[in-house]
Amino acid sequence: RKKQASQSASSGGSDKASRQACNGLEQEGMPESWRELRGEALFRRVIHPISMETFFEVHWEKKPLHVPGRGHEYFTGLFSKAVLEARVKKGGLMYGDDLNVGKCVNGEQHMQNGEDAVEWDAVEAMWKAGCSLQAVRPQRYSTVVHTFVEAFEDVFHCLAGSNSFMTPTSSQGFKPHYDEVEVFMLQIEGRKRWRLYRDNSRGPLPLRGMCWDIKEQGLELLLDTWVEAGDMLYLPRGTIHQGVASDDGPSHHLTISTYQRFAWVDFLSKGFSEALERAAADDVRFRAGLPLHLLETAGVAPSSDGVGKIREKVRELLGPLGDHFDVSAAADAMAAQFVARRLPPSISVADAEYHKGVSVRWANPSGVRVIVETLATGSETQIYHCGDNDATAHQGTEDPTPECVVLEGTYYLSALQMLFREHPKYVGVGSLPKITGVDNGELVEGLMSHGLLEVEKPAPSTKKRKRFAE
């Protein structure tokens, strides 16, 4: 759906009110020490005292990280069984999509999911019988979890998700397995013994899907530790793991995951076919006909030994493809898809009136993507944004169309680029690049009406007031 940026601020007011009603999430229950944190600041607190630099250099995609000793109250209020109960009682949750119930006994997985809508009395009975509860994607209805997942999306610039795992005393919910995502476990209450393994018979960083068919024999034990309330445990994707709650009470942790289908293979797939077309148009080798009898010399049952020569030719042709791969187009395609599917802002931009002396910046640059598209009628600048995304549909199966502000031509492109380049600094409207016949004020006013820009507040006056004698 496309809207013109020149839409007046007054007509954009109803849009802003709607966004605040849908996305203006109250931080009720948010731990006090987390209340004002967003984006990178929140992520840094999750991994504290490990620095981001150390984390990405030493652990990211390489080895697990356990951060202990930060106090049992560190993640208190992040999510709870009471929040899950309240949501279930509202109705509409289904087993599988919204809640999984199960337990692992003697290495065997026993799922207890029903076929009808989730009823809390049934869930409570299964909990008392030793089953674990997995709340799927609670960021759709928990304002606090929404804030945490949104922060991870801001930091990693790709989709993030969450799951809540509540495990009864002395129980194990799920058998050993690995995931296709990078996992951050935030222990909210209780404690759980985690054993992490590496399967040296396969390579690291699995491509797709989870794996539940794990045999403990032959695995290399990487870590065997108790994770206490307030601890964080990071697992690179592909790390085999299993956890058992302690004998002194139930365990509850929230996982935040990221980097699903965000590998080089996914990036290359966005532009590989177009690169082939450009290569064929530019290089006669790609247009040359196939050798005679190629289909007879390669296949499941070739009639002659010609596979080696064909493979050499394929290698020769693949080499130049890099010169024809449009890196920017592939990045734009992935970014637009991310913006369309990510969470909307948890806090709406404060209302502000436009005036010529205003200074602005992107409210959240990771939630905006500017793309130039060439059409038969000319070029247009498209500003995709997540401001009106539906939080309740986050990580759903449908592929949504992102909100898009459309500008005719590329007249405003240099101004938009400056806003990205200068962030987090504020930029005055008068400082934006000037082009004859182009009104940057119109651009800023239009983007403000969509809630994409925030306005710098005037600094408090430092002048001393004169005191007059009575």
Side-chain angles (χ1 to χ4, degrees):
R1 292 171 291 172
K2 298 180 179 180
K3 300 178 181 178
Q4 296 298 326
S6 57
Q7 177 178 331
S8 69
S10 60
S11 63
S14 60
D15 283 346
K16 182 170 288 189
S18 175
R19 278 194 300 273
Q20 289 173 337
C22 295
N23 305 330
L25 305 178
E26 297 180 3
Q27 298 305 309
E28 184 177 358
M30 188 76 165
E32 184 66 32
S33 59
W34 299 87
R35 194 177 296 271
E36 301 300 325
L37 299 180
R38 296 294 182 275
E40 183 180 309
L42 189 148
F43 178 75
R44 285 184 180 275
R45 184 165 175 80
V46 167
I47 64 174
H48 177 80
I50 306 300
S51 69
M52 285 183 65
E53 295 73 20
T54 298
F55 173 75
F56 285 110
E57 180 179 345
V58 177
H59 296 278
W60 177 250
E61 292 191 324
K62 300 181 186 72
K63 65 179 184 178
L65 170 65
H66 177 208
V67 182
R70 301 182 298 187
H72 289 180
E73 305 298 319
Y74 202 75
F75 292 122
T76 298
L78 179 50
F79 193 65
S80 68
K81 190 162 171 270
V83 173
L84 175 62
E85 177 182 357
R87 180 59 189 87
V88 169
K89 288 182 176 180
K90 284 184 178 180
L93 297 192
M94 302 298 295
Y95 288 104
D97 291 337
D98 306 300
L99 182 70
N100 289 311
V101 182
K103 57 183 175 179
C104 178
V105 181
N106 297 324
E108 296 294 327
Q109 188 68 50
H110 301 274
M111 298 305 297
Q112 305 295 317
N113 287 353
E115 296 183 358
D116 300 321
V118 179
E119 296 289 342
W120 185 252
D121 288 345
V123 172
E124 189 65 41
M126 289 185 284
W127 167 263
K128 291 178 179 178
C131 289
S132 289
L133 311 180
Q134 178 195 1
V136 181
R137 298 179 289 154
Q139 71 271 16
R140 295 172 296 162
Y141 52 85
S142 165
T143 60
V144 183
V145 178
H146 178 127
T147 301
F148 273 67
V149 174
E150 179 189 359
F152 274 68
E153 291 186 333
D154 289 344
V155 169
F156 291 97
H157 292 257
C158 67
L159 283 183
S162 70
N163 289 279
S164 164
F165 294 90
M166 306 174 195
T167 305
T169 305
S170 306
S171 298
Q172 178 174 347
F174 300 95
K175 64 187 293 188
H177 66 283
Y178 68 73
D179 303 299
E180 63 169 331
V181 288
E182 307 291 324
V183 174
F184 296 79
M185 294 184 181
L186 317 183
Q187 189 70 19
I188 299 173
E189 60 180 323
R191 62 194 189 109
K192 183 175 279 191
R193 180 188 179 187
W194 283 101
R195 281 167 285 182
L196 313 182
Y197 308 90
R198 177 191 292 128
D199 183 357
N200 291 313
S201 66
R202 60 173 179 82
L205 304 178
L207 181 60
R208 295 285 183 264
M210 304 168 64
C211 181
W212 292 87
D213 187 20
I214 302 291
K215 306 295 183 184
E216 290 188 54
Q217 294 79 9
L219 298 179
E220 177 188 354
L221 181 65
L222 298 176
L223 184 66
D224 184 347
T225 190
W226 284 95
V227 176
E228 309 274 349
D231 291 4
M232 190 281 291
L233 183 63
Y234 161 72
L235 310 181
R237 62 187 185 276
T239 303
I240 299 168
H241 53 283
Q242 63 174 329
V244 180
S246 69
D247 297 336
D248 52 12
S251 167
H252 180 200
H253 72 271
L254 183 87
T255 65
I256 300 180
S257 58
T258 188
Y259 259 58
Q260 184 178 40
R261 301 193 176 187
F262 204 66
W264 276 109
V265 62
D266 304 293
F267 181 76
L268 293 174
S269 69
K270 294 296 182 183
F272 197 78
S273 59
E274 290 81 1
L276 276 173
E277 292 297 323
R278 283 189 287 271
D282 185 63
D283 191 332
V284 69
R285 290 177 296 174
F286 288 86
R287 304 194 300 270
L290 295 173
L292 293 175
H293 310 298
L294 178 143
L295 302 183
E296 299 171 21
T297 59
V300 176
S303 58
S304 64
D305 187 19
V307 175
K309 291 183 178 180
I310 296 171
R311 185 173 289 114
E312 288 178 8
K313 184 64 176 179
V314 170
R315 290 197 187 102
E316 175 192 330
L317 293 175
L318 286 176
L321 273 182
D323 296 330
H324 297 279
F325 189 92
D326 191 334
V327 173
S328 294
D332 283 340
M334 289 190 76
Q337 186 179 47
F338 163 56
V339 168
R341 299 178 65 90
R342 66 162 297 168
L343 282 169
S346 56
I347 295 180
S348 297
V349 177
D351 286 322
E353 293 295 329
Y354 170 78
H355 57 87
K356 291 184 179 180
V358 73
S359 292
V360 296
R361 67 181 181 186
W362 292 116
N364 183 358
S366 74
V368 179
R369 187 69 179 196
V370 175
I371 295 174
V372 174
E373 185 170 344
T374 303
L375 308 172
T377 56
S379 298
E380 66 178 25
T381 303
Q382 302 170 352
I383 307 172
Y384 292 94
H385 66 89
C386 67
D388 297 314
N389 286 4
D390 182 4
T392 64
H394 189 243
Q395 288 191 303
T397 56
E398 295 184 4
D399 194 10
T401 301
E403 288 292 320
C404 184
V405 178
V406 178
L407 307 170
E408 183 181 347
T410 58
Y411 310 110
Y412 292 111
L413 186 58
S414 57
L416 294 167
Q417 290 171 333
M418 184 174 183
L419 288 172
F420 280 108
R421 187 171 60 250
E422 295 297 321
H423 195 273
K425 297 178 182 178
Y426 289 92
V427 180
V429 175
S431 299
L432 292 172
K434 297 177 178 63
I435 299 177
T436 303
V438 175
D439 183 0
N440 285 327
E442 185 176 295
L443 169 70
V444 169
E445 185 176 10
L447 295 179
M448 284 175 60
S449 74
H450 289 283
L452 303 183
L453 298 178
E454 60 183 15
V455 176
E456 184 178 25
K457 296 180 180 179
S461 175
T462 57
K463 293 182 178 180
K464 293 184 178 180
R465 293 184 178 182
K466 293 182 179 180
R467 302 182 67 179
F468 296 92
E470 295 183 357

